[in-house]
Amino acid sequence: MSFVSYFPGRGTVRETAYREGKAEGEAKGILSVLEVRGIPVSDSVRERITSCTDLDRMDAWLERSRTVGRAEDLFAEDSEVPGTGPGRPVRRRVPG
């Protein structure tokens, strides 16, 4: 007999709510860093940050928020990868 654990609610409403809450917290962190640094955030940038649900992307934005000169620069590396945009995963080819 095998045992499969789905804790803490994998694939359920609970997991979805957890991930949304995590994304919301990341967005607040990014916006707070920009605010503390005195960097103006346009409505379009704010919308892009708050509507993103890709936690890896948001982690990258949080790191960049500490050093960028403009809020739009958060997305500079994202635009270099074709087919990426808000909430879409970044896919990079590995040379080989």
Side-chain angles (χ1 to χ4, degrees):
M1 182 168 160
S2 65
F3 176 76
V4 178
S5 173
Y6 292 102
F7 185 80
R10 184 176 175 176
T12 64
V13 172
R14 178 184 291 169
E15 180 184 30
T16 302
Y18 172 79
R19 287 178 135 322
E20 288 172 358
K22 188 98 164 126
E24 186 178 313
E26 288 279 329
K28 285 181 181 179
I30 294 165
L31 294 170
S32 292
V33 170
L34 294 173
E35 181 183 339
V36 166
R37 294 189 58 225
I39 296 178
V41 179
S42 67
D43 290 340
S44 63
V45 168
R46 184 176 303 278
E47 174 66 24
R48 185 166 177 186
I49 292 169
T50 58
S51 66
C52 183
T53 58
D54 182 336
L55 296 177
D56 291 333
R57 178 177 303 250
M58 294 183 85
D59 282 341
W61 291 348
L62 182 59
E63 287 297 315
R64 290 183 209 150
S65 70
R66 298 184 304 168
T67 59
V68 295
R70 301 177 317 127
E72 293 78 7
D73 294 341
L74 289 173
F75 318 120
E77 289 183 26
D78 294 343
S79 63
E80 293 175 7
V81 181
T84 62
R88 299 182 79 186
V90 175
R91 301 182 197 283
R92 294 201 165 106
R93 291 185 177 245
V94 178

